[in-house]
Amino acid sequence: SSPANSDLHHVRASDVKVNADRGHLYFDETEGDTSPGHTYSADSDSWEPPREVKGDIARALFYMAVRYEGNEPDETDLELADTPDFSKRCHGKLSVLLEWDRLDPVSLEEKARNEKIFRNYQGNRNPFIDHPEFVQRVFARP
């Protein structure tokens, strides 16, 4: 119902069970075991996606944190911090997301998806895909 819930830079196809397993856990490295038959892991408060999409998820969360500030009706202020709290709309541990972005650079598939969302659906882009250097400028701590 809110713009953030339907933003295609954030919405991804997902296995129903995988999505349910994540629930409201924030994104971080976990101490949990990889679930049988899956490439993700979880522990009591956090969720770790498969290695090959960690950067994609980080850049989607960077976009959401910049795009949604809670200034519009039905819009939530989404944030990233090193002390995440899902109840406060803080979806990931910032230092880990910065590392995921560094280890999993923007792929050709990610660029194509960004272009498709811009041209065919929303008319906007994820700037952290077009300009990966913006991640450090916006989110890195001095």
Side-chain angles (χ1 to χ4, degrees):
S1 61
S2 76
N5 289 341
S6 60
D7 192 308
L8 292 177
H9 291 296
H10 174 253
V11 175
R12 302 283 175 143
S14 177
D15 178 280
V16 174
K17 181 180 178 340
V18 173
N19 196 44
D21 287 350
R22 177 176 170 252
H24 293 303
L25 300 173
Y26 63 82
F27 291 100
D28 190 5
E29 299 288 326
T30 68
E31 295 180 18
D33 292 327
T34 300
S35 297
H38 298 287
T39 57
Y40 63 86
S41 64
D43 55 28
S44 64
D45 61 358
S46 58
W47 175 266
E48 185 174 353
R51 179 186 48 78
E52 63 273 8
V53 296
K54 285 181 175 180
D56 303 40
I57 288 171
R59 287 180 287 279
L61 291 171
F62 296 147
Y63 162 84
M64 295 295 283
V66 170
R67 167 63 183 88
Y68 295 100
E69 295 294 320
N71 299 329
E72 303 292 326
D74 298 322
E75 183 179 286
T76 303
D77 182 14
L78 301 173
E79 297 295 333
L80 303 171
D82 270 339
T83 54
D85 181 342
F86 200 84
S87 69
K88 295 178 183 174
R89 302 292 189 234
C90 189
H91 292 264
K93 190 170 182 182
L94 180 56
S95 60
V96 171
L97 295 171
L98 288 167
E99 183 69 5
W100 289 358
D101 172 67
R102 187 183 70 75
L103 293 173
D104 178 24
V106 175
S107 66
L108 292 176
E109 293 82 8
E110 204 174 353
K111 289 179 182 181
R113 184 177 193 275
N114 197 32
E115 182 67 21
K116 189 173 189 176
I117 290 169
F118 168 70
R119 293 215 182 266
N120 299 344
Y121 300 102
Q122 289 182 191
N124 72 334
R125 308 177 71 80
N126 180 336
F128 301 105
I129 294 171
D130 291 332
H131 296 279
E133 70 277 12
F134 286 1
V135 171
Q136 291 298 311
R137 289 183 187 171
V138 174
F139 291 101
R141 305 283 186 240

